[in-house]
Amino acid sequence: LRICRIAATNPSLTFSLGVALFDPRTPISIAAHEAEERLAAAKDAGRNRVCAIEPGAMTWAAFSTALDRAEKLNAWQREGKLPTALLYRLLAIDDARQRVAAGKKARPADYGWMARLGYQLARNVKAPEIAEELRSLFGLDGSWTHSENVPPGTRLSISHALYRNR
């Protein structure tokens, strides 16, 4: 993120990034093509954007926030406060949330994403501050009120925490 600080001092300098993660056995041509598509998505969304893991691009500030959240999840996971299996379930719940938000290709079961999230948190998370952080990743406050402006980076934060613990 140092490049962002440098670019911030020069308004004519911008930096967009497209990141794709793959299994080592994936042919480089496929990985390079995906990274190019993500870079194009970042540029199409405006200047100084990142497209990494999430389906859409985000600002560098949102990217930084998502990485900070990933570090919290990572720490809780290493301390044994956040089960790895729960993080995988949260990715599936986020998939359902995104399909519902997009208004297309949503399955009937997807509309219950918030109930599934509540069940998983009640069953697997004992610390209130962890449950609150996980709710906020999905754009929910303490009273489970859903914001239409879900902060970007949910999938990035969860995926990054999982990769850090492999």
Side-chain angles (χ1 to χ4, degrees), residues 39-102:
L39 177 59
K43 288 180 175 184
D44 289 345
R47 296 188 180 277
N48 289 321
R49 306 275 186 213
V50 182
C51 188
I53 299 177
E54 296 280 321
M58 64 185 82
T59 65
W60 283 100
F63 183 71
S64 179
T65 299
L67 292 180
D68 289 344
R69 292 179 124 177
E71 286 306 313
K72 281 186 193 177
L73 299 178
N74 177 45
W76 289 329
Q77 190 179 12
R78 287 179 186 240
E79 293 167 6
K81 297 177 180 177
L82 191 60
T84 301
L86 174 61
L87 292 176
Y88 282 106
R89 287 187 207 108
L90 294 178
L91 286 175
I93 291 169
D94 187 53
D95 286 340
R97 180 192 62 81
Q98 288 186 29
R99 284 191 297 269
V100 169

Side-chain angles (χ1 to χ4, degrees), residues 2 9-10 13 17 39 46 74 83 119 126 131 165:
R2 183 177 174 174
T9 62
N10 184 346
L13 179 64
L17 180 67
L39 177 59
N74 177 45
Y119 173 79
K126 303 303 178 223
N165 284 287

Side-chain angles (χ1 to χ4, degrees), residues 3 11 14 16-17 38 44 101 104 132 134 138 148 162:
I3 190 75
T14 63
S16 295
L17 180 67
R38 288 185 174 274
D44 289 345
K104 56 184 177 181
E132 182 180 335
L134 293 174
F138 287 85
E148 292 302 317
L162 284 167

